[in-house]
Coordinates of all heavy atoms in Angstrom, one line a residue:
M26 N 89.5 92.7 80.9 CA 89.0 93.7 81.8 C 88.7 95.0 81.1 O 89.5 95.6 80.4 CB 90.0 93.9 82.9 CG 89.3 94.4 84.2 SD 90.5 94.2 85.6 CE 90.7 95.9 86.1
E27 N 87.5 95.5 81.3 CA 87.1 96.8 80.8 C 87.8 97.9 81.5 O 88.0 97.9 82.7 CB 85.6 97.0 81.0 CG 84.7 96.0 80.3 CD 84.4 96.5 78.8 OE1 84.1 97.7 78.7 OE2 84.5 95.6 77.9
P28 N 88.3 98.9 80.6 CA 88.8 100.1 81.3 C 87.7 100.9 82.0 O 86.6 101.0 81.6 CB 89.4 100.9 80.1 CG 88.7 100.4 78.9 CD 88.2 99.0 79.2
R29 N 88.1 101.3 83.2 CA 87.1 102.0 84.0 C 86.9 103.4 83.6 O 87.8 104.1 83.2 CB 87.5 101.9 85.5 CG 87.4 100.5 86.1 CD 87.2 100.6 87.6 NE 88.4 101.0 88.2 CZ 88.5 101.4 89.5 NH1 87.4 101.4 90.2 NH2 89.6 101.8 90.1
H30 N 85.7 103.9 83.7 CA 85.4 105.3 83.4 C 86.2 106.2 84.4 O 86.2 105.9 85.6 CB 83.9 105.5 83.5 CG 83.5 106.8 83.0 ND1 83.5 108.0 83.7 CD2 83.1 107.2 81.7 CE1 83.1 109.0 83.0 NE2 82.8 108.5 81.8
P31 N 86.7 107.3 83.9 CA 87.5 108.2 84.9 C 86.7 108.6 86.1 O 87.2 108.7 87.2 CB 87.8 109.4 84.0 CG 87.7 108.9 82.6 CD 86.7 107.8 82.6
T32 N 85.4 108.7 86.0 CA 84.6 109.1 87.1 C 84.6 108.0 88.2 O 84.6 108.3 89.4 CB 83.1 109.5 86.7 OG1 83.2 110.3 85.6 CG2 82.3 110.1 87.8
D33 N 84.5 106.8 87.7 CA 84.5 105.7 88.6 C 85.9 105.6 89.4 O 85.9 105.3 90.5 CB 84.3 104.3 87.9 CG 82.9 104.3 87.3 OD1 82.0 105.0 87.9 OD2 82.7 103.5 86.4
V34 N 87.0 105.9 88.6 CA 88.3 105.9 89.2 C 88.3 106.9 90.3 O 88.8 106.7 91.4 CB 89.4 106.1 88.2 CG1 90.7 106.2 88.9 CG2 89.4 105.0 87.2
L35 N 87.8 108.1 90.0 CA 87.8 109.2 90.9 C 87.0 108.8 92.2 O 87.4 109.1 93.3 CB 87.3 110.5 90.3 CG 87.5 111.8 91.0 CD1 88.9 112.1 91.1 CD2 86.7 112.9 90.3
R36 N 85.9 108.3 91.9 CA 85.0 107.9 93.0 C 85.7 106.9 93.9 O 85.6 106.9 95.1 CB 83.7 107.3 92.5 CG 82.5 107.3 93.5 CD 81.2 106.9 92.9 NE 80.7 107.9 91.9 CZ 80.3 107.6 90.7 NH1 80.4 106.4 90.2 NH2 79.8 108.6 89.9
G37 N 86.4 105.9 93.2 CA 87.1 104.9 94.0 C 88.2 105.6 94.9 O 88.4 105.1 96.0
L38 N 88.9 106.6 94.4 CA 89.9 107.3 95.1 C 89.3 108.0 96.3 O 89.9 108.0 97.4 CB 90.7 108.2 94.2 CG 91.6 107.6 93.2 CD1 92.2 108.6 92.3 CD2 92.8 106.9 93.9
L39 N 88.2 108.7 96.1 CA 87.7 109.6 97.1 C 86.8 108.8 98.1 O 86.7 109.3 99.2 CB 86.9 110.7 96.4 CG 87.7 111.6 95.5 CD1 86.7 112.6 94.9 CD2 88.7 112.3 96.3
G40 N 86.3 107.7 97.6 CA 85.4 106.9 98.5 C 84.0 107.5 98.5 O 83.8 108.6 98.0
P41 N 83.0 106.8 99.0 CA 81.7 107.3 99.0 C 81.4 108.5 99.8 O 80.4 109.2 99.6 CB 80.9 106.1 99.4 CG 81.8 105.2 100.2 CD 83.2 105.5 99.7
R42 N 82.1 108.7 100.9 CA 81.8 109.8 101.8 C 83.0 110.8 101.9 O 83.3 111.3 103.0 CB 81.5 109.2 103.2 CG 80.2 108.4 103.2 CD 79.9 108.0 104.6 NE 78.8 107.0 104.6 CZ 78.4 106.5 105.7 NH1 78.8 106.8 106.9 NH2 77.4 105.6 105.7
G43 N 83.6 111.0 100.8 CA 84.7 111.9 100.9 C 86.0 111.2 101.4 O 85.9 110.1 101.8
P44 N 87.1 111.9 101.4 CA 88.3 111.3 101.7 C 88.4 110.9 103.2 O 88.0 111.7 104.1 CB 89.4 112.4 101.4 CG 88.6 113.7 101.4 CD 87.2 113.4 101.0
E45 N 88.9 109.7 103.4 CA 89.2 109.3 104.8 C 90.6 108.8 104.8 O 90.9 107.8 104.1 CB 88.2 108.2 105.2 CG 87.1 108.8 106.0 CD 86.2 107.7 106.5 OE1 86.7 106.7 107.0 OE2 85.0 107.8 106.4
V46 N 91.4 109.4 105.6 CA 92.8 109.0 105.6 C 93.1 108.2 106.9 O 92.7 108.6 108.0 CB 93.7 110.2 105.6 CG1 95.2 109.9 105.9 CG2 93.6 110.9 104.2
G47 N 93.6 107.0 106.7 CA 94.0 106.2 107.9 C 95.5 106.4 108.2 O 96.2 107.1 107.4
C48 N 96.0 105.7 109.2 CA 97.4 105.9 109.6 C 98.3 105.4 108.5 O 99.4 106.0 108.3 CB 97.7 105.2 110.9 SG 96.9 105.9 112.3
D49 N 98.0 104.3 107.8 CA 98.8 103.8 106.8 C 99.0 104.8 105.7 O 100.2 105.1 105.3 CB 98.2 102.5 106.1 CG 98.3 101.3 107.1 OD1 99.1 101.5 108.1 OD2 97.7 100.3 106.9
T50 N 97.9 105.4 105.2 CA 98.0 106.4 104.1 C 98.7 107.6 104.7 O 99.5 108.2 103.9 CB 96.5 106.8 103.7 OG1 95.8 105.6 103.4 CG2 96.6 107.7 102.5
C51 N 98.4 107.9 105.9 CA 99.1 109.1 106.5 C 100.6 109.0 106.5 O 101.3 109.9 106.0 CB 98.6 109.3 107.9 SG 99.2 110.8 108.7
F52 N 101.1 107.8 106.9 CA 102.5 107.6 106.9 C 103.1 107.6 105.5 O 104.2 108.1 105.3 CB 102.9 106.3 107.7 CG 103.0 106.5 109.2 CD1 102.0 105.9 110.0 CD2 104.0 107.2 109.7 CE1 102.1 106.1 111.4 CE2 104.1 107.4 111.1 CZ 103.1 106.9 111.9
D53 N 102.3 107.0 104.6 CA 102.8 107.0 103.2 C 102.9 108.4 102.6 O 103.8 108.7 101.8 CB 101.8 106.2 102.3 CG 102.0 104.7 102.5 OD1 103.0 104.3 103.2 OD2 101.1 103.9 102.1
E54 N 102.0 109.3 103.0 CA 101.9 110.6 102.3 C 102.5 111.7 103.1 O 102.6 112.8 102.6 CB 100.4 110.9 102.1 CG 99.6 109.9 101.2 CD 100.0 110.1 99.7 OE1 101.0 110.7 99.4 OE2 99.2 109.6 98.9
L55 N 102.9 111.4 104.3 CA 103.3 112.5 105.2 C 104.5 113.3 104.7 O 104.6 114.5 104.7 CB 103.6 112.0 106.6 CG 103.5 113.0 107.7 CD1 102.2 113.7 107.7 CD2 103.6 112.3 109.1
D56 N 105.5 112.5 104.1 CA 106.7 113.2 103.5 C 106.3 114.2 102.5 O 106.8 115.3 102.5 CB 107.6 112.1 102.9 CG 108.5 111.4 104.0 OD1 108.5 111.9 105.1 OD2 109.1 110.4 103.6
R57 N 105.4 113.7 101.6 CA 105.0 114.6 100.5 C 104.2 115.8 101.0 O 104.4 116.9 100.6 CB 104.1 113.8 99.5 CG 103.8 114.4 98.2 CD 103.4 113.4 97.2 NE 102.1 112.8 97.4 CZ 101.0 113.3 96.8 NH1 101.1 114.4 96.1 NH2 99.8 112.8 97.1
F58 N 103.4 115.5 102.0 CA 102.5 116.5 102.6 C 103.5 117.6 103.2 O 103.2 118.8 103.0 CB 101.7 115.9 103.7 CG 100.7 116.8 104.3 CD1 99.5 117.1 103.7 CD2 100.9 117.5 105.5 CE1 98.5 117.9 104.2 CE2 100.0 118.3 106.1 CZ 98.8 118.5 105.4
V59 N 104.5 117.2 103.9 CA 105.4 118.2 104.6 C 106.2 119.0 103.5 O 106.3 120.2 103.6 CB 106.4 117.5 105.5 CG1 107.5 118.4 105.9 CG2 105.6 117.0 106.7
E60 N 106.6 118.2 102.4 CA 107.3 118.9 101.3 C 106.4 120.0 100.7 O 106.9 121.1 100.4 CB 107.7 117.9 100.3 CG 109.1 117.3 100.4 CD 109.3 116.2 99.4 OE1 108.8 116.3 98.3 OE2 110.0 115.3 99.8
L61 N 105.2 119.7 100.5 CA 104.2 120.6 99.9 C 104.0 121.8 100.8 O 104.0 123.0 100.4 CB 102.9 120.0 99.6 CG 102.9 119.0 98.4 CD1 101.6 118.1 98.4 CD2 103.0 119.7 97.1
E62 N 103.9 121.5 102.1 CA 103.7 122.6 103.1 C 104.9 123.5 103.0 O 104.7 124.8 103.0 CB 103.6 122.0 104.5 CG 102.2 121.5 104.8 CD 102.1 121.3 106.3 OE1 103.0 120.5 106.8 OE2 101.2 121.8 107.0
L63 N 106.1 123.0 103.0 CA 107.3 123.8 103.1 C 107.5 124.5 101.8 O 108.1 125.6 101.8 CB 108.5 122.9 103.4 CG 108.5 122.2 104.7 CD1 109.7 121.2 104.8 CD2 108.6 123.2 105.8
A64 N 107.0 124.0 100.7 CA 107.1 124.6 99.4 C 106.0 125.7 99.2 O 106.0 126.4 98.2 CB 107.0 123.6 98.3
G65 N 105.2 125.8 100.2 CA 104.1 126.8 100.1 C 103.0 126.4 99.2 O 102.1 127.2 98.8
E66 N 102.9 125.1 98.9 CA 101.8 124.6 98.0 C 100.6 124.3 98.9 O 100.7 124.3 100.2 CB 102.3 123.3 97.3 CG 103.6 123.4 96.5 CD 103.3 124.0 95.1 OE1 102.1 123.9 94.7 OE2 104.2 124.6 94.6
D67 N 99.5 124.0 98.2 CA 98.3 123.7 99.0 C 98.3 122.2 99.3 O 97.7 121.4 98.6 CB 97.1 124.1 98.2 CG 95.8 124.1 99.0 OD1 95.9 123.6 100.1 OD2 94.8 124.7 98.5
A68 N 98.9 121.9 100.4 CA 99.0 120.5 100.8 C 97.7 119.8 101.1 O 97.5 118.6 100.8 CB 100.0 120.3 102.0
D69 N 96.8 120.6 101.6 CA 95.5 120.1 102.0 C 94.7 119.7 100.7 O 94.0 118.7 100.7 CB 94.6 121.2 102.7 CG 95.3 121.5 104.0 OD1 95.9 120.6 104.6 OD2 95.2 122.7 104.4
A70 N 94.9 120.5 99.6 CA 94.2 120.1 98.4 C 94.9 118.9 97.7 O 94.2 118.1 97.1 CB 94.2 121.3 97.4
A71 N 96.2 118.8 97.8 CA 96.9 117.7 97.2 C 96.6 116.4 97.9 O 96.5 115.4 97.2 CB 98.4 118.0 97.2
I72 N 96.5 116.4 99.2 CA 96.2 115.2 99.9 C 95.0 115.4 100.8 O 95.2 115.7 102.0 CB 97.5 114.8 100.7 CG1 98.7 114.8 99.8 CG2 97.3 113.4 101.3 CD1 100.0 114.6 100.5
P73 N 93.8 115.3 100.3 CA 92.6 115.7 101.1 C 92.5 114.7 102.3 O 92.7 113.5 102.1 CB 91.5 115.5 100.1 CG 92.1 115.4 98.7 CD 93.5 114.9 98.9
G74 N 92.1 115.3 103.4 CA 91.8 114.5 104.5 C 93.0 114.2 105.4 O 92.8 113.8 106.6
L75 N 94.2 114.5 105.0 CA 95.4 114.2 105.8 C 95.5 115.1 107.0 O 95.8 114.7 108.1 CB 96.6 114.3 105.0 CG 97.8 113.5 105.6 CD1 98.6 112.7 104.6 CD2 98.7 114.4 106.3
R76 N 95.2 116.4 106.8 CA 95.2 117.3 107.9 C 94.2 117.0 109.0 O 94.5 117.0 110.2 CB 95.1 118.8 107.5 CG 95.4 119.7 108.6 CD 95.4 121.2 108.2 NE 96.4 121.5 107.2 CZ 97.7 121.7 107.5 NH1 98.1 121.6 108.7 NH2 98.5 121.9 106.5
A77 N 93.0 116.6 108.5 CA 92.0 116.2 109.4 C 92.4 114.9 110.3 O 92.2 114.8 111.5 CB 90.7 115.8 108.7
H78 N 93.2 114.0 109.6 CA 93.7 112.9 110.3 C 94.7 113.3 111.3 O 94.7 112.8 112.5 CB 94.3 111.9 109.3 CG 94.8 110.7 110.0 ND1 94.0 109.6 110.4 CD2 96.1 110.4 110.5 CE1 94.8 108.7 111.0 NE2 96.0 109.2 111.1
L79 N 95.6 114.2 110.9 CA 96.6 114.7 111.9 C 96.0 115.3 113.1 O 96.4 115.1 114.2 CB 97.5 115.7 111.2 CG 98.4 115.2 110.1 CD1 99.2 116.4 109.5 CD2 99.4 114.2 110.6
E80 N 94.9 116.0 112.9 CA 94.2 116.7 114.0 C 93.6 115.7 115.0 O 93.5 115.9 116.1 CB 93.2 117.7 113.5 CG 93.9 119.0 113.1 CD 92.9 119.9 112.2 OE1 91.8 119.6 112.1 OE2 93.4 120.9 111.7
G81 N 93.2 114.5 114.4 CA 92.5 113.5 115.2 C 93.4 112.4 115.7 O 92.9 111.5 116.4
C82 N 94.7 112.4 115.3 CA 95.5 111.3 115.5 C 96.8 111.7 116.2 O 97.7 112.2 115.4 CB 95.8 110.5 114.3 SG 96.8 109.0 114.5
P83 N 97.0 111.7 117.5 CA 98.2 112.2 118.1 C 99.5 111.6 117.6 O 100.5 112.3 117.5 CB 98.0 111.8 119.6 CG 96.5 111.6 119.8 CD 96.0 111.1 118.4
A84 N 99.5 110.3 117.3 CA 100.7 109.6 116.8 C 101.2 110.2 115.5 O 102.4 110.5 115.3 CB 100.5 108.1 116.7
C85 N 100.2 110.4 114.6 CA 100.6 111.0 113.3 C 100.9 112.5 113.4 O 101.8 113.0 112.7 CB 99.5 110.8 112.3 SG 99.3 109.0 111.8
R86 N 100.3 113.1 114.3 CA 100.6 114.6 114.5 C 102.0 114.7 115.0 O 102.7 115.6 114.6 CB 99.6 115.1 115.5 CG 99.6 116.7 115.5 CD 98.3 117.2 116.2 NE 98.2 116.8 117.6 CZ 97.1 116.3 118.1 NH1 96.1 116.1 117.4 NH2 97.1 116.0 119.4
E87 N 102.4 113.8 115.9 CA 103.7 113.9 116.4 C 104.8 113.6 115.3 O 105.8 114.3 115.2 CB 103.9 112.8 117.5 CG 105.0 113.1 118.5 CD 104.9 112.1 119.7 OE1 103.9 112.2 120.5 OE2 105.7 111.2 119.8
E88 N 104.4 112.7 114.5 CA 105.3 112.4 113.3 C 105.4 113.6 112.4 O 106.5 113.9 111.9 CB 104.7 111.1 112.6 CG 105.5 110.7 111.4 CD 106.8 110.0 111.7 OE1 107.0 109.7 112.9 OE2 107.7 109.8 110.8
H89 N 104.3 114.2 112.1 CA 104.2 115.4 111.3 C 105.1 116.5 111.9 O 105.9 117.1 111.2 CB 102.8 115.8 111.2 CG 102.6 117.1 110.4 ND1 101.9 118.2 110.9 CD2 102.9 117.5 109.1 CE1 101.9 119.2 110.0 NE2 102.5 118.8 108.9
E90 N 105.0 116.7 113.2 CA 105.7 117.8 113.8 C 107.2 117.5 113.8 O 108.0 118.4 113.6 CB 105.3 118.0 115.3 CG 104.0 118.8 115.3 CD 103.3 118.8 116.7 OE1 103.9 118.3 117.7 OE2 102.2 119.2 116.8
S91 N 107.6 116.2 113.9 CA 109.0 115.9 113.9 C 109.6 116.0 112.5 O 110.7 116.4 112.3 CB 109.3 114.5 114.5 OG 108.7 113.5 113.7
L92 N 108.8 115.7 111.5 CA 109.2 115.9 110.1 C 109.4 117.4 109.8 O 110.4 117.8 109.2 CB 108.2 115.3 109.1 CG 108.2 113.8 108.9 CD1 107.1 113.4 108.0 CD2 109.6 113.4 108.3
L93 N 108.5 118.2 110.3 CA 108.6 119.6 110.1 C 109.9 120.2 110.8 O 110.6 121.0 110.2 CB 107.4 120.3 110.6 CG 106.2 120.5 109.7 CD1 105.0 121.2 110.5 CD2 106.5 121.2 108.4
A94 N 110.1 119.7 112.0 CA 111.3 120.1 112.7 C 112.5 119.7 112.0 O 113.5 120.4 112.0 CB 111.2 119.6 114.2
L95 N 112.5 118.5 111.5 CA 113.7 117.9 110.8 C 114.0 118.7 109.6 O 115.1 119.1 109.3 CB 113.4 116.5 110.4 CG 114.6 115.6 110.1 CD1 115.3 115.2 111.4 CD2 114.1 114.3 109.5
A96 N 112.9 119.0 108.8 CA 113.1 119.8 107.6 C 113.6 121.2 107.9 O 114.4 121.8 107.2 CB 111.8 119.9 106.8
D97 N 113.1 121.7 109.0 CA 113.5 123.1 109.4 C 115.0 123.1 109.8 O 115.7 124.0 109.5 CB 112.7 123.5 110.7 CG 112.2 124.9 110.6 OD1 112.0 125.4 109.5 OD2 112.1 125.5 111.7
A98 N 115.4 122.0 110.5 CA 116.8 121.9 110.9 C 117.8 121.8 109.7 O 118.9 122.2 109.8 CB 117.0 120.8 111.9
E99 N 117.2 121.3 108.6 CA 118.1 121.1 107.4 C 118.2 122.3 106.6 O 119.0 122.4 105.7 CB 117.5 119.9 106.6 CG 117.8 118.5 107.1 CD 117.0 117.5 106.3 OE1 116.3 117.8 105.4 OE2 117.2 116.3 106.6
R100 N 117.4 123.3 106.9 CA 117.4 124.5 106.1 C 118.7 125.3 106.5 O 119.1 125.3 107.7 CB 116.2 125.4 106.4 CG 115.0 124.8 105.8 CD 113.8 125.7 106.0 NE 112.7 125.3 105.1 CZ 111.6 126.1 104.9 NH1 111.5 127.2 105.5 NH2 110.7 125.8 104.0
P101 N 119.2 126.1 105.5 CA 120.4 126.9 105.8 C 120.1 128.0 106.8 O 119.0 128.5 106.8 CB 120.8 127.4 104.4 CG 119.7 127.1 103.5 CD 118.8 126.1 104.1
Ligands
ZN24 ZN1 97.2 108.3 112.4

């Protein structure tokens, strides 16, 4: 198997029409997303499309909010 050109890999990751995050990806990445948010990092840049998914998906938005609340409760 030929090694793929980095541009092709990137294109594969981003997809033809920019990032599209589904619920599966959302659930996989949500922990990291919240960690980045809490760390003050640019979570939107790290996981493109996730916030857009949260805005359009009530189930994931609820999960996001509960993770934030949980992390908040764990803080001293
Ligand atoms: Zn979702």
Side-chain angles (χ1 to χ4, degrees):
M26 202 166 119
E27 295 273 317
R29 291 204 291 166
H30 190 273
T32 311
D33 292 338
V34 175
L35 192 66
R36 197 174 292 129
L38 287 173
L39 296 177
R42 293 185 192 180
E45 261 182 49
V46 170
C48 289
D49 288 347
T50 309
C51 186
F52 276 110
D53 285 348
E54 300 283 19
L55 202 53
D56 281 347
R57 193 160 71 94
F58 188 81
V59 168
E60 268 175 33
L61 289 167
E62 276 192 310
L63 294 173
E66 305 280 336
D67 196 346
D69 296 326
I72 311 169
L75 201 138
R76 188 173 301 278
H78 180 83
L79 291 177
E80 281 166 6
C82 181
C85 290
R86 194 163 62 230
E87 206 170 288
E88 180 72 11
H89 176 235
E90 277 166 15
S91 66
L92 279 176
L93 275 180
L95 201 72
D97 221 34
E99 283 173 356
R100 286 183 164 194

